[in-house]
Amino acid sequence: MIERAGRGPLRRLVVLRHAKSARPADVPDHERPLAPRGRRDAPAAGRALAEADCLPGLALCSTAVRARRTWELAAGQWGTPPPVRHEPRLYHADARELLDVVREVPGDVETLLLIGHNPGLEDLVLALAGDGLDDTLDRVRAKFPTSAIAVLSWRGAAWRDLAPGSALLTSLTVPRGGRR
């Protein structure tokens, strides 16, 4: 992994877009459940994070049902899930609002998982990434689909120091679960 110049420990922001959701009639947006594909893909996202040795010290998750269920299914793939904070400000947040929440994370957290929604997550990844490995930036610009995982690395003494352009986009994966 290429490390960005800076002071402090290497930190990782892992951005996970919720898995594919259903759109049942007469169900408010906040309450939409996962679709069958989402119920397959969310555990695959958890396995992908474990295989990449990218398990978080803390997870921040939108309060929307589809995001919470993505978290539950992904974290269910790990022996001991990290603490999770269900954060109402992540629902319908833009990149600036997401960054404000991230900057409040305690300094002892080195890897943070952020589970939320587009277009805010995609915009956040593009705003924070000053550079990317391989074609990761182009791929995010083209599409940040459901269950996508972007990993941003940066050095900093505290999360409040995370600034636009200061991170390196080290990976972008889109795990998909098999048919059951």
Side-chain angles (χ1 to χ4, degrees):
M1 174 187 322
I2 296 174
E3 297 177 8
R4 303 289 293 172
R7 293 181 162 170
L10 181 65
R11 297 183 185 275
R12 293 183 299 181
L13 174 60
V14 180
V15 178
L16 170 59
R17 183 175 173 199
H18 66 77
K20 183 72 174 173
S21 60
R23 295 186 180 272
D26 300 325
V27 173
D29 183 72
H30 190 271
E31 304 307 312
R32 286 176 32 218
L34 291 180
R37 189 180 95 196
R39 292 192 301 270
R40 292 188 304 268
D41 292 349
R47 290 189 297 274
L49 289 171
E51 291 166 6
D53 194 26
C54 207
L55 297 181
L58 174 67
L60 298 178
C61 182
S62 165
T63 56
V65 169
R66 58 193 180 274
R68 291 191 332 249
R69 190 68 178 132
T70 298
W71 158 252
E72 291 164 1
L73 292 171
Q77 303 301 305
W78 311 329
T80 304
V84 61
R85 190 172 86 210
H86 293 96
E87 176 56 64
R89 294 178 294 167
L90 299 181
Y91 180 65
H92 284 310
D94 63 23
R96 182 190 51 78
E97 293 164 323
L98 291 168
L99 184 55
D100 287 346
V101 173
V102 167
R103 286 177 172 161
E104 296 171 4
V105 170
D108 62 336
V109 174
E110 291 185 358
T111 299
L112 174 66
L113 174 61
L114 184 66
I115 305 169
H117 313 270
N118 255 5
L121 291 182
E122 178 179 332
D123 293 343
L124 177 69
V125 169
L126 293 173
L128 292 175
D131 199 359
L133 296 182
D134 303 321
D135 64 346
T136 53
L137 278 171
D138 290 336
R139 290 174 52 215
V140 171
R141 285 183 193 110
K143 185 173 185 181
F144 194 67
T146 56
S147 300
I149 302 169
V151 180
L152 295 147
S153 297
W154 64 287
R155 287 200 174 276
W159 287 94
R160 70 179 170 271
D161 300 329
L162 181 56
S166 67
L168 175 68
L169 181 59
T170 60
S171 70
L172 175 67
T173 56
V174 184
R176 295 293 185 221
R179 298 237 181 251
R180 290 185 186 169

